[in-house]
Amino acid sequence: MKKNNNLDNQPLSGPEDNDEEMTVTLDLLDGTSVTCAIVTILTVRQQDYIVLLPLEEDGENHDGMVWFYRYHEDKENPNEEPELEYIEDDEEYEIVSDAFDEYLDNAEFDELTDGLTQEE
């Protein structure tokens, strides 16, 4: 997984309701915008991180790459837009990446066990 350091450190635009998945639009430093599906928000070492799946113009992600950002939400003012922040430290990025891998493992396990219970 690659780091994405192109975010224009602004609040999230969105979320937009796209049928079943929540999406946000990120404004990048080069002036372009990217629509991303929100995969999950993870809490690691008392810090929230958001996992985003960048979508291409057809609404799909063909390379499977995800982006990780620190995620800050103003709990006292729920009307404020959440903010994203780069993860510049390689060690912190690896910790978040490992937590996401564990999340995926648990999701696959849950999917498998749900399938077994429905068949019985």
Side-chain angles (χ1 to χ4, degrees):
M1 288 176 237
K2 294 181 185 175
K3 288 186 183 182
N4 178 33
N5 289 329
N6 296 321
L7 180 66
D8 181 16
N9 249 2
Q10 296 182 2
L12 291 175
S13 300
E16 302 158 9
D17 191 8
N18 185 5
D19 291 332
E20 296 175 13
E21 66 186 22
M22 295 276 295
T23 61
V24 296
T25 302
L26 300 180
D27 296 324
L28 304 181
L29 291 174
D30 65 2
T32 61
S33 295
V34 176
T35 300
C36 298
I38 299 172
V39 178
T40 190
I41 296 174
L42 302 168
T43 302
V44 181
R45 296 184 177 177
Q46 300 176 345
Q47 170 64 56
D48 289 336
Y49 297 90
I50 192 167
V51 181
L52 300 176
L53 183 68
L55 303 174
E56 295 179 22
E57 288 182 20
D58 62 2
E60 298 291 323
N61 178 297
H62 299 285
D63 62 9
M65 179 176 34
V66 295
W67 295 341
F68 304 126
Y69 291 101
R70 276 189 218 105
Y71 177 83
H72 302 279
E73 196 172 321
D74 188 348
K75 307 268 189 236
E76 294 177 16
N77 192 353
N79 295 329
E80 287 290 317
E81 292 287 332
E83 292 187 23
L84 302 184
E85 185 181 341
Y86 298 126
I87 302 172
E88 295 183 22
D89 180 71
D90 288 339
E91 182 180 340
E92 179 183 7
Y93 188 89
E94 284 302 314
I95 290 168
V96 175
S97 178
D98 289 345
F100 181 62
D101 287 342
E102 186 176 324
Y103 165 83
L104 289 177
D105 289 345
N106 289 336
E108 287 177 13
F109 179 77
D110 290 345
E111 192 175 296
L112 284 173
T113 56
D114 285 349
L116 290 174
T117 6
Q118 290 175 359
E119 291 176 12
E120 293 175 0

